[in-house]
Amino acid sequence: MNYQESLKFIEESHKFGIRLGLENSLKLLELLGNPQDKLKIIHVAGTNGKGSVCSFIANSLQAQGYKVGLYTSPYLEKFTERIRINGENIPEEDVARIVTLMREKIEQMVKEGFAYPTEFEIETAMAFYYYWEQGVDYVALEVGLGGRYDATNVIKDCLASVIVSLSLDHIGILGDTLGKIAYEKAGIIKPNGLTISYKQKEEAVEVIKDVCKEQNSEYIEVDFDSINVKKSDISSQIFDCTIDGEKFENMEIQLIGDHQVNNAVLALTVLKAIRDKRGVVLSNEAIKKGFHDTKWPGRIEKIKDNPVFIIDGAHNEDGARSLANALEKNFKGKKLTFLIGMLADKDIDSVLELLMDKFQKVVTTTPDSDRAISCEELKSKIEKYGKEVVAIPKIEDAVQYVLDHAEKDEVIIAAGSLYMIGHIRSIVK
């Protein structure tokens, strides 16, 4: 198969949907020689901030001179973004070669009575195989959905299990309370392991601590109280913090928003823990460079000036709150236009509740997904807030409309669906 054929092969497995459970992934990986067992992994689960935290970790290890795999989802513009080594996307020819090999293994497992693997199971197995084959030193591995039954959780061991900020998301699959969601995310905690968690709400903390006790895993909670933000604007942020008695000063990041400082301190806590408790050689200079070099597209990212055009992946309550805070801090008094498109299975009402009072004008569009809420239905929800709303089904037309109607000092914010903002990023860039 060539690259396009291999992408088509992966996408066609989409019809098998999301299937929670590890049996299939384990069989496919067994046929590939169990590459996941030969990797040193930092495993990251949670609702918001997984990608940023993985990226801070991967870039810091890379700055130390290691060869580092970074596995994230979804992609914004190109499939190959999801599987990276030292910042470089997996080459298209490697995708084609590995998927061709995997097709034979998939045919074999189906003959043996196993179910056909899902899209995410295939992609995750490909990542493990590629990282093993390329001889990476470490992998920053982002969970796809949940944790306990996620295809990434086939690993028997890891350097650290990391749980980022938790909020209600995928409630139809993971549960309708923070406790239930925390239980699913805590499924990545390994026996006799090391667990580093964001400062969660009490309901979630109890669940995570209980799982740590069961698994005899050391529990470390991030200390946000020591953070001192010295500079914060639309270009960068500089902060000091103290972690387990060690002071880190003038840490500069290019990611915007208070939540990104929290994500950085979580990543810093993870890096200090694997250095102190797992023997990973890592200097503070490498961490500083890794943090400064970290870019995470689609998270309060400015993609254009005149008018300023910002894209953000906010699609749930936590993400919307972070975006609202960043708008309040950086664009107070500015005229703001909102371009929004969402998936129907998201907590749309919470997102609107948090964001609607920030905008003068709103344009709704329909993300290119069979799970999308139509722009007309979204418009009728927004009109309840007394806003001027225009519904434009096609994303290209909606982008053109907001650019054509923007005043010189206006700020355009596009958010609601990661897939949609990736599309918008491609159009505007």
Side-chain angles (χ1 to χ4, degrees):
M1 285 189 281
N2 63 28
Y3 175 66
Q4 290 306 329
E5 287 165 342
S6 61
L7 280 194
K8 189 164 182 280
F9 176 79
I10 294 168
E11 281 160 13
E12 280 174 355
S13 60
H14 179 63
K15 62 183 174 228
F16 298 101
I18 295 169
R19 181 176 50 244
L20 295 178
L22 303 178
E23 187 188 20
N24 254 39
S25 285
L26 285 165
K27 181 62 185 176
L28 178 53
L29 285 159
E30 182 195 312
L31 294 171
L32 290 167
N34 284 320
Q36 78 283 6
D37 294 343
K38 298 156 190 164
L39 299 167
K40 291 177 185 167
I41 290 168
I42 297 104
H43 201 191
V44 181
T47 312
N48 293 295
K50 295 191 294 288
S52 303
V53 169
C54 281
S55 212
F56 283 128
I57 290 167
N59 283 320
S60 299
L61 290 166
Q62 183 187 334
Q64 185 67 38
Y66 295 115
K67 191 173 186 179
V68 188
L70 175 62
Y71 182 60
T72 58
S73 59
Y75 64 88
L76 275 186
E77 295 173 80
K78 203 168 189 292
F79 172 82
T80 53
E81 292 166 28
R82 299 191 49 186
I83 302 172
R84 279 175 272 177
I85 295 177
N86 285 6
E88 297 292 322
N89 296 356
I90 182 173
E92 292 181 358
E93 57 270 26
D94 284 325
V95 173
R97 177 177 56 78
I98 297 169
V99 172
T100 302
L101 165 70
M102 287 174 68
R103 182 171 62 177
E104 291 170 30
K105 308 298 183 189
I106 289 166
E107 284 166 3
Q108 186 181 334
M109 64 185 278
V110 170
K111 269 184 200 158
E112 289 181 31
F114 286 84
Y116 201 96
T118 65
E119 190 172 359
F120 189 69
E121 286 168 343
I122 293 170
E123 291 159 353
T124 304
M126 173 169 47
F128 283 135
Y129 187 84
Y130 179 64
Y131 294 142
W132 162 72
E133 181 190 68
Q134 297 299 315
V136 301
D137 298 303
Y138 298 101
V139 178
L141 183 71
E142 182 187 328
V143 166
L145 175 62
R148 183 170 308 279
Y149 298 116
D150 184 76
T152 61
N153 204 29
V154 291
I155 58 174
K156 293 174 185 162
D157 194 17
C158 58
L159 288 169
S161 301
V162 184
I163 300 175
V164 302
S165 170
L166 297 181
S167 65
L168 295 176
D169 199 12
H170 299 290
I171 53 179
I173 299 167
L174 301 179
D176 56 2
T177 68
L178 209 51
K180 287 177 186 171
I181 284 171
Y183 180 72
E184 291 306 321
K185 308 287 186 183
I188 69 163
I189 294 169
K190 298 290 177 273
N192 309 310
L194 185 58
T195 300
I196 298 104
S197 177
Y198 198 91
K199 197 177 179 74
Q200 313 287 356
K201 289 179 182 156
E202 198 51 47
E203 183 187 353
V205 173
E206 283 175 23
V207 172
I208 295 165
K209 281 185 172 175
D210 283 349
V211 176
C212 282
K213 208 173 280 179
E214 281 166 25
Q215 297 283 37
N216 193 34
S217 175
E218 183 180 350
Y219 172 80
I220 299 170
E221 186 173 277
V222 179
D223 173 19
F224 292 144
D225 297 336
S226 73
I227 297 172
N228 172 30
V229 177
K230 297 157 102 168
K231 175 208 172 204
S232 179
D233 59 32
I234 201 65
S235 62
S236 71
Q237 305 191 84
I238 298 173
F239 65 91
D240 298 341
C241 67
T242 303
I243 297 168
D244 197 21
E246 183 175 357
K247 190 156 191 192
F248 293 85
E249 293 185 294
N250 297 317
M251 302 298 295
E252 184 173 10
I253 60 171
Q254 296 184 62
L255 306 188
I256 308 309
D258 297 346
H259 62 296
Q260 292 293 12
V261 173
N262 289 348
N263 288 336
V265 174
L266 171 57
L268 195 46
T269 307
V270 174
L271 291 164
K272 180 169 163 54
I274 63 172
R275 179 172 72 188
D276 295 354
K277 299 169 188 289
R278 293 289 182 261
V280 176
V281 175
L282 183 62
S283 70
N284 285 359
E285 290 71 30
I287 295 173
K288 211 165 205 178
K289 180 176 181 348
F291 275 41
H292 177 267
D293 291 350
T294 295
K295 293 182 171 68
W296 195 235
R299 302 337 188 262
I300 311 183
E301 180 193 12
K302 184 169 76 168
I303 56 171
K304 188 183 182 305
D305 284 300
N306 302 320
V308 170
F309 200 129
I310 306 274
I311 56 172
D312 185 59
H315 61 272
N316 54 32
E317 186 179 346
D318 238 26
R321 186 173 287 109
S322 296
L323 176 58
N325 291 341
L327 295 177
E328 188 70 26
K329 198 168 179 177
N330 295 290
F331 299 111
K332 208 176 170 87
K334 290 272 189 189
K335 191 172 183 187
L336 303 181
T337 291
F338 196 25
L339 172 54
I340 179 171
M342 290 195 72
L343 302 183
D345 57 4
K346 297 297 176 186
D347 187 359
I348 295 168
D349 294 328
S350 292
V351 170
L352 299 182
E353 190 69 38
L354 285 159
L355 291 173
M356 276 310 111
D357 68 334
K358 308 287 177 209
F359 296 97
Q360 285 73 41
K361 288 189 300 190
V362 183
V363 175
T364 61
T365 191
T366 309
D368 186 15
S369 166
D370 48 12
R371 289 158 53 210
I373 182 173
S374 78
C375 59
E376 290 295 344
E377 198 179 335
L378 190 53
K379 178 186 175 185
S380 67
K381 280 179 176 284
I382 292 168
E383 281 172 337
K384 293 170 192 165
Y385 292 86
K387 296 290 170 184
E388 174 194 331
V389 193
V390 179
I392 302 172
K394 283 188 73 175
I395 293 171
E396 292 88 342
D397 298 341
V399 170
Q400 196 59 57
Y401 179 89
V402 292
L403 288 171
D404 288 347
H405 290 77
E407 292 166 23
K408 195 177 163 204
D409 60 346
E410 200 171 311
V411 179
I412 300 163
I413 312 287
S417 155
L418 273 174
Y419 291 105
M420 181 191 77
I421 63 160
H423 193 164
I424 290 170
R425 194 173 192 269
S426 301
I427 295 163
V428 174
K429 287 228 167 215

